[in-house]
Amino acid sequence: MTATIRTHLACPLCGGGLRVRYPDLPDRFETSVAPWRLDECSGCGLGMINPAPAGDQSCYYPSSYLSQEGDASGPVAGGLLSRLERSYRFDQYRYDFRLLAAASGVDVARSASYLDVGCGSGERVEYAAGLGVPHAVGIDRYRFAKQLPRANAELVTSEIVDFRPEERFAVVSMFHVLEHVEEPVAVLRHLGEHVVAEDGVLIVQVPNYGSAERRLFGRRWFGMDAPRHLFQFDERTVRRACEEAGLDVVAVRKANAPLHPVTLVPSLLPALDVQRIWVRPGRAWRKVIVQALWALATAVAIPVAWLQQVTGNASMLTVVARPGGRLRP
Ligand SMILES: [Zn+2]
C-alpha cells in the first residue's frame, strides 16, 4: 500500500458543507511538501485536512516519532535523568487512569484485561501490566519504533479494524489516535462491536480543537500536527462520532494531567518541540540543553495550563464510552 490523497467533498460526520479554515498548515517534521489545508464543517464544526493523506501514511511519521519512550540512549542519557523522565511520563498514565475511574467507576488495576489501541512503543501497556492487569495488550498499525521487551505485555501490529480478539477487553484505550485515523466513526464502531466487552469501557483522548489555545495559536497550535492529525475534534464532534458509532457516551472531560502542558510549550516556543529535536540529527549536548530549556518552560507553563483547565479550556478532550448505544441507521 502506498500513500494516496483523498478529498472530502462534504463532512464525513454530518454531511455538512466545508469551508477553508487554515489554508497553510506547516508539517513540523518536514516529511511532506507543506502547506496542508484544514477545512471546517459548517454544520458540526469538525476540522479535517483536505485534501488528506490516505492509505499507508508511514512516510509522514519519522522513524523516531515514538522512540523517546523508554530510550535510555536518548537526549537525557544515563541513570537518574532517564528515570526522572520515565516517572514523568508515567505520571500522565496514572492521571489518565484516575480520570477513567472518576468518570466510570472502572479501576484499570482491578480489570481482567486492558487493550491500548495505537500503542506506539507499548509503554502504557507495560504500565497497565505493572498495575496487575493479568491480560495487557497493545495494537498499532506501524511497526514499533522500539522493539523493547515489555514485561507481561503483548504487542500486536494490526490495523484497528482488522483486530478481532477471541475475548473482548474490559478496558480499551485510544490516546491520541482517533485524530490520526481515516475513518474515525468506523474505527469506533469496530471497537464497540468487536473489541470492547459488553460491560467494558472505552476511553478516547484527542487534542481539543475547541480550546482557547487553538484559537490563540491558530495554524501554529501544536495540536494541528498536519498532516498526521487528519481530523480535529471538539467536545461536540467527538461526542457525535462516538454516538454515530453506536457507543453510549458516559462522560466527556476537558482535562489533562496538570504536570503535562504538552501542547502549550511547543505552540509558544516551537524550538522546544522535543519530539522534533529527537528526530533531527544533532549533537547530544545540544539536545540536552534543549531538553533542559523545555523542562524549564514546562514548569512555567504548568500554572497556565491549570488556569486553562479550571476555565473549561483544557487542550485535551477525554471521552469515556460504553458499547450498547443504539446504532444510527
Ligand atoms: Zn459536519
Side-chain angles (χ1 to χ4, degrees), residues 10-18 40-48 236-237 240:
C11 172
L13 193 53
C14 77
L18 306 176
E40 221 175 77
C41 171
S42 44
C44 70
L46 182 72
M48 70 209 75
R236 211 161 51 124
T237 49
R240 181 159 181 165

Side-chain angles (χ1 to χ4, degrees), residues 79-315:
L80 181 63
L81 278 176
S82 276
R83 283 205 297 278
L84 259 177
E85 195 202 14
R86 181 182 161 93
S87 73
Y88 177 71
R89 276 200 311 278
F90 276 42
D91 173 71
Q92 174 82 56
Y93 308 155
R94 266 191 298 277
Y95 178 89
D96 293 332
F97 287 168
R98 274 206 308 271
L99 195 153
L100 173 67
S104 68
V106 172
D107 180 357
V108 176
R110 292 168 183 267
S111 299
S113 55
Y114 169 72
L115 173 75
D116 191 27
V117 176
C119 66
S121 72
E123 193 172 70
R124 200 185 289 265
V125 183
E126 187 184 53
Y127 174 68
L131 291 177
V133 180
H135 187 211
V137 181
I139 68 163
D140 201 290
R141 79 186 300 196
Y142 299 121
R143 277 190 311 113
F144 307 107
K146 281 279 179 288
Q147 302 289 341
L148 293 173
R150 296 288 182 194
N152 307 317
E154 181 189 337
L155 302 183
V156 181
T157 300
S158 169
E159 291 292 327
I160 300 169
V161 293
D162 295 335
F163 184 69
R164 290 191 182 217
E166 279 173 25
E167 259 182 67
R168 299 203 200 179
F169 290 83
V171 178
V172 177
S173 66
M174 199 156 54
F175 288 98
H176 301 273
V177 174
L178 194 67
E179 67 274 25
H180 292 259
V181 304
E182 283 173 53
E183 305 283 353
V185 173
V187 162
L188 290 169
R189 184 175 293 141
H190 177 80
L191 293 177
E193 290 178 355
H194 301 288
V195 181
V196 186
E198 268 175 41
D199 57 350
V201 70
L202 171 69
I203 176 169
V204 176
Q205 190 172 77
V206 293
N208 182 7
Y209 185 71
S211 63
E213 243 179 51
R214 192 273 300 170
R215 288 193 292 275
L216 182 66
F217 293 109
R219 63 186 282 278
R220 284 185 53 210
W221 181 49
F222 188 70
M224 291 290 188
D225 203 10
R228 287 158 292 278
H229 289 184
L230 303 175
F231 292 99
Q232 292 288 345
F233 296 94
D234 61 11
E235 192 178 0
R236 211 161 51 124
T237 49
V238 81
R239 178 184 283 276
R240 181 159 181 165
C242 290
E243 288 170 354
E244 293 283 341
L247 297 165
D248 270 336
V249 175
V250 175
V252 182
R253 294 271 194 272
K254 286 185 260 184
N256 192 39
L259 299 180
H260 298 257
V262 282
T263 50
L264 182 55
V265 171
S267 295
L268 203 58
L269 302 164
L272 299 186
D273 173 354
V274 278
Q275 220 175 18
R276 200 176 57 181
I277 298 304
W278 268 301
V279 165
R280 287 194 169 165
R283 290 177 193 280
W285 62 266
R286 193 176 295 166
K287 293 185 178 183
V288 172
I289 290 174
V290 170
Q291 179 123 18
L293 290 173
W294 166 82
L296 190 68
T298 297
V300 173
I302 285 168
V304 182
W306 177 80
L307 210 64
Q308 287 176 295
Q309 183 146 324
V310 295
T311 56
N313 269 297
S315 59

